[in-house]
Amino acid sequence: MATATARKSKVYTISLPPELAQRAEALAQRDSRTMSELFREAFRTYSAQQARRTLDELDEYAAGRNPKGYTEADVPRLIKEARAQKPRRSVRPNG
């Protein structure tokens, strides 16, 4: 008795305008790829570009939040300077 093996890939049906379909087919043929391989690679590239865009936006945000360009190495010095500027509260013994 033969048992069916579960498919490990999910199948999608997509529609492309004729000109885009021809270009995709030509690229797949030129690179000796299947259409599935071509679209998997296209999605990987798109996904990587989106991740890069997100990182660039976060970098831009962070640069705006740190206009003086402080680094982690600056933190101990900045803490020391801030503590030197604030008057210390005296601790009074109970009693």
Side-chain angles (χ1 to χ4, degrees):
M1 176 182 241
T3 58
T5 53
R7 183 180 198 108
K8 293 185 181 188
S9 298
K10 189 162 182 177
V11 177
Y12 291 92
T13 301
I14 64 167
S15 299
L16 297 174
E19 183 181 307
L20 190 56
Q22 285 178 332
R23 288 171 47 200
E25 290 167 1
L27 280 172
Q29 186 176 13
R30 182 196 75 187
D31 295 344
S32 299
R33 294 177 171 216
T34 65
M35 292 296 287
S36 289
E37 290 170 330
L38 181 73
F39 286 109
R40 280 193 292 270
E41 180 62 26
F43 178 75
R44 282 187 204 101
T45 300
Y46 175 80
S47 182
Q49 287 174 346
Q50 293 302 308
R52 180 80 246 165
R53 181 177 293 150
T54 299
L55 289 174
D56 289 344
E57 289 170 358
L58 288 171
D59 189 42
E60 186 177 319
Y61 171 78
R65 303 286 293 173
N66 185 13
K68 294 183 180 180
Y70 293 128
T71 66
E72 193 172 338
D74 295 315
V75 173
R77 177 183 54 82
L78 292 169
I79 291 171
K80 187 176 180 179
E81 289 173 5
R83 287 178 176 164
Q85 291 174 1
K86 287 186 177 181
R88 294 202 183 264
R89 289 190 279 165
S90 60
V91 178
R92 296 179 191 188
N94 293 336

